[in-house]
Amino acid sequence: MAKWGMVIDLDTCTGCQACTTACAMENNRLPGENWQDVLFYHEGTYPNVKLMWFPRPCMHCENPSCVSVCPTKATYKDPDGGFVLMDYNKCIGCKYCQVACPYGVRFYVDEKAVVQPDIRGVFPSEAGRQWDPPYKGPQDDPSRGIGIQPHGVVSKCTFCYHKVSKAPKGVADLDEDIPELKEYVPACVRVCAPKARFFGDLDQPNSNVNKMIADKRGVRLKDETGNKPQVYYLSGGATASVPSLRSMSDSDKA
Amino acid sequence: MTSVTVSNKEITSKQLGIMLLALIGLGIAGGIAISNLMAEGHAAYNTNNLGLFWGFPIVIYDYFLLTSTGLAMVASMALIFGGEEYRPIIRRSLWLALAGLLGGVAVLMLELGHPLRALWAIPFSFAFSSPLYWKVMAVSFYVLSLLILQVRMMKPDWRMQDLRINAMVTLALALGVTAIAGVVYGSQSFRPFWASGDIPVAFIFESLLGGLAFIIFFTYLAYAFNAAAVPASVKRLFNDRLSTLLALAIFIHLLFVLARMSSGLYGNVEGLQVWQHIAASPLFFAEILIGLLLPLVLLMYPGTRIRPWAQILASLLVMNALLISRYEYIIGGQLVPLFKGSWAPELLSYAPSPTEWLLLLVAIFLSNAVNALGEVTLRLGREG
């Protein structure tokens, strides 16, 4: 059994948001429903201000709190691959998983549109889905949260399950530089221009992702929650780093 | 006997008037709220994806649910531990518990993305790890237990000792529902404002306080706030026992709130800074000073404790304070961004939308209509 994980090298990430765009296009996300986001912020006060950024997909945790709180088992941990997925057919839209996710990576987009004008009005759906854009991904699997979601359900990043799950068995790393594997690489990883993202099997000791986590002391975001993310960050501290504080200090407010 | 019969007729006509008013209010508030929801969907609410996932409808639902369990606790404890003097309030408490629950659940149904799916998806999911699963299952058995008790008390000559086992089950379920409701929030370890082992216990005392306030207020309402029409046995019970119990419950609830506030203001744990925001808000001052301390003074002072107006006012103020308390707890716990705090505002902002306010009216009117229906058809006042 594979346990797919992602490594994001913050020293290499330039905050270009190609990952955000690729994810939105691959998965037909609404504007503002960024399954994969790059969060920008600043630290320090003038003249010592640093512009920071932080790429943030769903962490596909080993021990996800969103799964344990779901009253209908609509969100579940896929035993073959370690994906955390949504079953749109079971979700009742109670949003408990959103409340229980420490990373803010789940979306309930039935509310007011984050980005105006509301594009759902431009491309309305007649099939009970949130919207019907002119181009839709060919993959549609509501039981795994793939495709445009219906109304009243929570959505989230799937680690591009529709691509990764078709990879040849036993592959340790999905690298876009290997021609025969690049179709199986998650969209955000495949388009990463500075090659800051890596995707592989955390259960294979010799996988490149495992070596990087060991060599560069990969860390997990908010590890203290016990969720055990399958996304690791590498940070030398030169540029972006894993934020440790959740609130602004007084000096950051200026 | 004649005077009681006349009094019952008067009460019945007044209750029919209350029911009619509540139905008209329900029709107007519900009609506008549902038309807003049909037109805008969930966009009619002011919740968002920045961190405010559970808004005012959840506050309303939990408020009515916990009030219901509080009423059931009052009734079942009176059956188990009390004596005949509690008889006048037991059936009314139980019916009010059902009426309140109905109002709260109706609002929850209007908030869920797929309310009808929830009816089968939750019970058949066997999601044992989810507090919400246990909450729904416990509420289902709780309702069943309330109904059985109510049916068994339809006979005019029902005896308290015959119902003790049934009352014990109801009490256990009411405590269970309330404690699980506390676990839903208290188990969120990464939300320090919510997470605490004492939350289920605090919820139980809060529920009990709500139950006591509601039964006093709605008993007076049953007699159209005409203290002269209230039977002597009810007056005696309120003056001797329930006012004291209400004061005690207010004091315990105050202790829980102030203890959480003091540790929140003193501690520097990330997430507790929302206490500075809450403790500085006029709403919080209104809750503490007007909603809890003023009723406490009214009920502790011997000269006012036995006055019907003081009992009604104290109950009404407590009912409002508990709504504020529930609002601050549920919304306050979400105001601190969990993870985006470094680049999101220090605190998120939220205010209920007009549709969300209408849902509060829906719950109030629906509960009142059902309660008045019970007063008329079940003659809940006959025990007095």
Side-chain angles (χ1 to χ4, degrees):
Chain A
M1 297 289 180
K3 185 171 79 179
W4 296 108
M6 189 181 287
V7 169
I8 303 176
D9 189 344
L10 295 176
D11 280 346
T12 314
C13 174
T14 60
C16 69
Q17 300 180 84
C19 49
T20 306
T21 309
C23 173
M25 294 182 72
E26 176 74 31
N27 296 294
N28 293 114
R29 290 305 93 198
L30 280 163
E33 186 195 4
N34 296 327
W35 280 1
Q36 153 56 51
D37 210 348
V38 180
L39 305 161
F40 288 88
Y41 60 106
H42 70 271
E43 278 188 352
T45 51
Y46 180 82
N48 298 312
V49 184
K50 280 202 295 185
L51 175 66
M52 310 288 280
W53 58 91
F54 189 72
R56 185 235 43 192
C58 169
M59 302 291 147
H60 288 268
C61 306
E62 284 178 35
N63 187 25
S65 49
C66 57
V67 169
S68 58
V69 301
C70 178
T72 63
K73 292 187 178 172
T75 186
Y76 61 98
K77 183 86 178 156
D78 186 271
D80 187 14
F83 305 88
V84 175
L85 300 172
M86 281 296 304
D87 185 342
Y88 291 152
N89 299 318
K90 287 184 183 173
C91 181
I92 58 169
C94 71
K95 295 176 277 177
Y96 197 11
C97 57
Q98 280 191 290
V99 168
C101 171
Y103 305 103
V105 298
R106 290 176 161 258
F107 296 87
Y108 186 79
V109 290
D110 289 61
E111 287 118 345
K112 292 182 185 77
V114 177
V115 178
Q116 294 292 342
D118 190 346
I119 202 164
R120 286 172 290 192
V122 181
F123 300 111
S125 171
E126 293 176 357
R129 292 188 289 208
Q130 291 278 344
W131 64 319
D132 267 337
Y135 165 78
K136 289 189 286 293
Q139 308 289 343
D140 203 358
D141 186 353
S143 68
R144 292 190 171 88
I146 297 164
I148 298 169
Q149 74 270 36
H151 287 284
V153 301
V154 170
S155 72
K156 68 177 287 296
C157 151
T158 64
F159 253 4
C160 282
Y161 177 92
H162 56 286
K163 291 156 75 82
V164 176
S165 60
K166 292 177 184 145
K169 297 287 176 203
V171 171
D173 291 285
L174 291 177
D175 192 332
E176 68 276 11
D177 289 341
I178 305 171
E180 59 270 27
L181 292 180
K182 68 180 181 182
E183 283 305 316
Y184 311 116
V185 179
C188 61
V189 177
R190 187 169 170 187
V191 301
C192 183
K195 201 166 173 62
R197 286 178 181 243
F198 305 88
F199 198 80
D201 186 356
L202 297 171
D203 266 356
Q204 294 204 32
N206 292 323
S207 65
N208 188 33
V209 285
N210 265 332
K211 285 179 189 164
M212 280 191 290
I213 292 165
D215 291 347
K216 292 186 76 175
R217 289 187 235 170
V219 295
R220 302 190 284 200
L221 187 64
K222 292 178 75 67
D223 216 5
E224 75 278 5
T225 64
N227 279 21
K228 299 184 179 176
Q230 287 171 205
V231 173
Y232 288 77
Y233 291 94
L234 310 179
S235 172
T239 53
S241 60
V242 178
S244 57
L245 292 176
R246 94 179 91 199
S247 68
M248 285 192 294
S249 63
D250 287 342
S251 60
D252 291 333
K253 288 178 189 170
Chain B
M1 189 68 189
T2 310
S3 65
V4 172
T5 311
V6 171
S7 176
N8 279 342
K9 278 184 184 169
E10 285 172 5
I11 289 162
T12 302
S13 66
K14 280 173 182 165
Q15 286 298 332
L16 282 171
I18 291 170
M19 189 165 72
L20 189 65
L21 280 176
L23 285 173
I24 292 169
L26 178 65
I28 295 170
I32 299 171
I34 289 171
S35 72
N36 283 356
L37 286 170
M38 302 267 282
E40 300 177 58
H42 219 273
Y45 301 152
N46 273 350
T47 43
N48 58 49
N49 281 312
L50 290 175
L52 241 308
F53 310 126
W54 282 349
F56 200 40
I58 300 297
V59 174
I60 299 166
Y61 161 63
D62 265 355
Y63 174 75
F64 278 80
L65 174 71
L66 297 195
T67 302
S68 168
T69 56
L71 285 159
M73 284 178 213
V74 170
S76 50
M77 281 198 288
L79 275 170
I80 300 164
F81 307 111
E84 283 295 324
E85 65 267 38
Y86 285 94
R87 199 178 175 95
I89 62 158
I90 293 175
R91 289 177 68 231
R92 180 169 285 125
S93 286
L94 289 171
W95 183 254
L96 204 47
L98 281 167
L101 185 66
L102 202 61
V105 169
V107 171
L108 178 70
M109 288 292 169
L110 292 172
E111 203 275 345
L112 287 178
H114 286 280
L116 297 178
R117 183 184 291 171
L119 296 177
W120 60 263
I122 295 178
F124 295 109
S125 70
F126 305 109
F128 299 125
S129 64
S130 170
L132 273 192
Y133 169 80
W134 288 110
K135 191 174 171 186
V136 170
M137 299 309 284
V139 167
S140 306
F141 288 111
Y142 163 72
V143 171
L144 192 63
S145 183
L146 283 180
L147 285 171
I148 292 170
L149 256 184
Q150 190 64 253
V151 169
R152 292 186 69 187
M153 283 191 284
M154 299 276 275
K155 287 190 296 185
D157 56 344
W158 62 273
R159 297 189 316 159
M160 292 178 90
Q161 57 265 39
D162 295 340
L163 301 171
R164 290 230 162 94
I165 303 280
N166 208 158
M168 285 179 201
V169 173
T170 306
L171 178 61
L173 287 167
L175 288 170
V177 169
T178 315
I180 294 168
V183 170
V184 167
Y185 301 95
S187 61
Q188 305 292 312
S189 61
F190 42 88
R191 291 183 187 270
F193 185 80
W194 278 357
S196 176
D198 70 352
I199 292 299
V201 184
F203 270 34
I204 286 171
F205 281 106
E206 208 171 315
S207 294
L208 201 51
L209 172 59
L212 289 164
F214 268 72
I215 191 57
I216 292 174
F217 183 84
F218 278 90
T219 301
Y220 278 110
L221 178 64
Y223 297 98
F225 298 115
N226 178 9
V230 177
S233 59
V234 178
K235 280 182 188 164
R236 200 163 45 246
L237 175 67
F238 282 8
N239 294 346
D240 291 349
R241 302 283 176 88
L242 284 200
S243 296
T244 313
L245 282 175
L246 182 62
L248 185 65
I250 293 172
F251 181 70
I252 294 172
H253 175 61
L254 252 177
L255 282 184
F256 273 108
V257 173
L258 295 179
R260 279 211 304 273
M261 183 192 73
S262 57
S263 61
L265 290 176
Y266 183 77
N268 56 2
V269 176
E270 288 289 334
L272 285 184
Q273 64 268 41
V274 75
W275 267 115
Q276 292 159 10
H277 169 73
I278 288 174
S281 74
L283 209 57
F284 183 72
F285 277 92
E287 176 198 345
I288 300 295
L289 297 179
I290 304 172
L292 297 173
L293 278 177
L294 177 59
L296 189 60
V297 170
L298 284 174
L299 295 171
M300 287 179 74
Y301 185 62
T304 52
R305 184 169 56 227
I306 56 168
R307 305 284 175 203
W309 66 264
Q311 293 168 2
I312 295 167
L313 181 62
S315 305
L316 187 63
L317 291 175
V318 165
M319 287 155 67
N320 283 298
L322 287 177
L323 182 62
I324 298 172
S325 183
R326 181 107 350 263
Y327 179 90
E328 278 169 346
Y329 182 71
I330 295 177
I331 303 299
Q334 299 172 82
L335 288 182
V336 178
L338 278 175
F339 160 63
K340 300 175 185 173
S342 301
W343 45 91
E346 188 176 19
L347 290 180
L348 300 173
S349 62
Y350 170 79
S353 68
T355 306
E356 289 173 294
W357 280 111
L358 282 170
L359 291 188
L360 176 62
L361 294 181
V362 166
I364 290 172
F365 287 133
L366 179 57
S367 301
N368 270 287
V370 175
N371 183 52
L373 180 71
E375 292 280 358
V376 172
T377 57
L378 301 175
R379 293 184 56 221
L380 301 174
R382 78 173 182 221
E383 314 290 347

